[in-house]
């Protein structure tokens, strides 16, 4: 079941609209009150909300002697939802994990202050207008998750604490500076007239992939260049039947794919239990490509009782490596065990009909012909073992691989050998994150892991829900999505657009979409706020030995390196490079927002 806002009582959805109506601009704010504490949260997505909610939870524990005024800044009015879960996006854009994994509250919560904390499943069941119930294994649209998050924000900001004011401000913060014990903020170059005592940066994916060369080419020719897929409805300007090059075959590509097909009136229907696409005639022809030219591994619902349980990369294994108190070499210390975990997961189900001990299982594995024996390289890069004679065969290869993957993954991680291997890859990667953070790897090893391993491991671990991969397969069958390039193509400019070329094929395009989520880069300066902070040495680049990570250097508490006395914390996506995969909805890992909330609460109470 896919849940959208169409299944929810309209009265519940009004809270999201009411919250948007509460937003102000910086020009609407009153003059600074000299005897008040001012606090700023920059970034209006889930992480910004989590930090605000914890701040309120800490402040309510005692009387506030002076007024506390919180300014929460965001680029749009979707506070709590941010851009990823914006409530105005199409409802066929889905989250990539089941609803049973989603809650925006602390669990358990010793500082609970709202009467009823509901996870997403409970919230749907409490507010649905249909006769059947939501199951934790169901999926939902991102706009519905946005409504859930914004409802939580609405409840939170209406919680009354004497001497506490919370203002939701639609404003793009582009710079800040420290003056004595306070911080000043700038919105589009104009200074805001407040002195803030505490700052939290939770800006999310506020980065740009824009290519100056392609941007200039789009100005001087008929070529249309989209440096980002979002807002997704901007793609509606591409004409029907246009051939579109799409860089990136990850989760953002799925959004692009759906917007250029289902978003233009096409329909997906089931025919003999297989999804089939019925075109509207308004579709584009889509040519995806990436570094490895492979779609992501889809996944079914993943809950504690339905997911693969690690055998080798356990918490005890992690603790053992940490106890050695040294930096880790990924390929020497981790990769052999990772390979063992994935192979065990696969072959345990491959030989499911045989009652084998683990020793007997490994004996049978080693007896298999090495040319077909599964290993992590074959698992991550199946096309490395498949070479076509002509480029047209690559689409057939993707078709065959997709057909096999969809059949296997549909059975779930406890029954399918391939799904189990993908589950081992995912669960193992989460364990690797515990070893990676804050220079846990040797410098050269971290550099190689960041460059050569992480993307491929994420592709196999954090893919789209099965239904979206079924749609991808249906569009491949309908010849609307065409995998033309077996190798990563080179890009060159033409008079009317661009040309993508490999030794086997080339193709010209007038439309080009960069469907990658931009990563923060100090070297590129691809965010105005962080670019300005770096140029004035407020932030610095993280170095692991001689490896320049291109990330902002922070402490294990989320504070800026060498500025631990500042009440200034980063949370979520801006902390990447120090930690691994900190941009999810989860509040459980690297929760620097909780530390900031406690420090800020103590500051204003004293």
């Amino acid at each position: 079941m896919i849940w959208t806002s169409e299944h929810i009582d309209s009265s519940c959805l009004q809270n999201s609209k009411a919250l948007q109506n509460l937003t102000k601009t910086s020009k609407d704010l009153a003059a600074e009150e000299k005897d008040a504490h001012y606090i700023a949260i920059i970034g209006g997505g889930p992480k910004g909300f989590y930090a605000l909610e914890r701040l309120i939870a800490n402040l309510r524990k005692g009387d506030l002697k002076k007024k506390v005024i919180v300014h929460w800044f965001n680029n749009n009015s979707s506070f709590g939802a941010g851009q990823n879960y914006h409530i105005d996006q199409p409802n066929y854009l889905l989250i990539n994990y089941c609803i049973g994994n989603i809650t925006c509250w602390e669990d358990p919560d010793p500082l609970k202050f709202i009467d009823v904390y509901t996870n997403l499943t409970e919230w749907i069941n409490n507010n649905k207008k249909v006769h059947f119930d939501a199951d934790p294994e169901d999926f939902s649209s991102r706009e519905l998750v946005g409504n859930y998050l914004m409802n939580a924000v609405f409840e939170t900001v209406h919680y009354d604490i004497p001497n506490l004011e919370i203002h939701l401000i639609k404003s793009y913060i582009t710079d800040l500076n420290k003056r004595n014990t306070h911080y000043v903020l700038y919105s589009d170059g104009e200074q805001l007239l407040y002195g803030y005592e505490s700052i939290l940066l939770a800006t999310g994916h506020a980065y740009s992939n824009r290519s100056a060369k392609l941007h200039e080419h789009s100005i001087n020719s008929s070529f249309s260049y989209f440096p980002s897929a979002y807002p997704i409805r901007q793609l509606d300007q591409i004409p029907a039947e246009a051939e579109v090059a799409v860089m990136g075959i990850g989760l953002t590509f799925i959004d692009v794919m759906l917007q250029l097909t289902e978003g233009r009136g096409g329909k997906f229907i089931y025919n003999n239990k297989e999804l089939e696409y019925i075109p509207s005639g308004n579709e584009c022809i889509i040519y995806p490509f990436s570094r490895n030219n492979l779609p992501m591994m889809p996944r079914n619902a993943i809950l504690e009782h339905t997911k693969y349980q690690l055998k080798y990369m356990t918490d005890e294994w992690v603790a053992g490596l940490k106890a050695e108190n040294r930096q880790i070499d990924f390929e020497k210390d981790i990769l052999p065990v990772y390979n063992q975990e994935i192979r065990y997961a696969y072959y345990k189900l491959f030989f499911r009909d045989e009652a084998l001990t683990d020793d007997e299982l490994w004996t049978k594995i080693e007896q298999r012909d090495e040319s077909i024996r599964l290993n992590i390289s074959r698992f991550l890069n199946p096309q490395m073992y498949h070479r076509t004679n002509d480029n047209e065969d690559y689409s057939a290869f993707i078709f065959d691989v997709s057909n096999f993957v969809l059949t296997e993954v549909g059975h779930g991680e406890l029954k399918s050998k391939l799904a189990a291997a993908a589950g081992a890859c995912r669960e193992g990667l989460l364990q690797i994150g515990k070893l990676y953070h804050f220079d846990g790897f040797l410098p050269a090893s971290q550099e190689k892991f960041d460059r050569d391993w992480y993307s491929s491991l994420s592709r196999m671990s954090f893919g789209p829900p099965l239904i979206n991969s079924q749609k991808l397969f249906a569009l491949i069958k309908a010849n609307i999505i065409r995998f033309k390039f077996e190798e990563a193509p080179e890009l060159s400019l033409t008079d009317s657009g661009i040309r993508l070329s490999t030794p086997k094929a080339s193709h010209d395009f007038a439309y080009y979409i960069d469907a990658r989520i931009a990563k923060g880069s100090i070297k590129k300066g691809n965010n105005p706020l962080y670019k300005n902070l770096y140029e004035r040495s407020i932030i610095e680049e993280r170095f692991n030995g001689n490896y320049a990570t291109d990330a902002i250097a922070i402490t294990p508490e989320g504070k800026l390196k060498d500025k631990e006395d500042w009440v200034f914390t980063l949370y979520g996506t801006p902390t990447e490079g120090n930690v691994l995969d900190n941009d999810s909805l989860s509040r459980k890992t690297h929760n620097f927002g909780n530390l900031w909330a406690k420090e800020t609460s103590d500051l204003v109470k004293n």
Side-chain angles (χ1 to χ4, degrees), residues 1-5 7 84-85 89-99 102 120 138-146 230 251-252 254-258 262 275 299 462-471 585:
M1 173 66 186
I2 308 295
W3 292 88
T4 73
S5 58
H7 300 107
N84 283 0
Y85 305 100
Q89 63 187 306
N91 64 14
Y92 45 78
L93 305 184
L94 308 182
I95 56 174
N96 68 325
Y97 36 89
C98 61
I99 62 175
I102 298 175
L120 180 57
D138 292 340
F139 285 82
S140 88
S141 63
R142 293 208 296 273
E143 53 87 26
L144 181 60
V145 176
Y230 304 109
L251 297 175
T252 302
I254 297 292
D255 291 357
V256 170
M257 168 192 89
L258 294 175
E262 189 171 1
L275 213 58
R299 54 180 174 173
F462 306 126
L466 184 62
I467 182 64
N468 277 348
S469 290
Q470 291 172 337
K471 289 181 177 180
L585 278 173

Side-chain angles (χ1 to χ4, degrees), residues 41-52 72-76 78-85 149 153 202-204 571 585:
I41 299 174
I42 302 170
K47 291 293 199 294
F49 165 58
Y50 298 162
L52 173 66
W72 187 14
F73 297 94
N74 194 38
N75 297 351
N76 57 56
S78 292
F79 281 84
Q83 191 61 43
N84 283 0
Y85 305 100
L149 291 165
V153 174
T203 51
Y571 184 27
L585 278 173

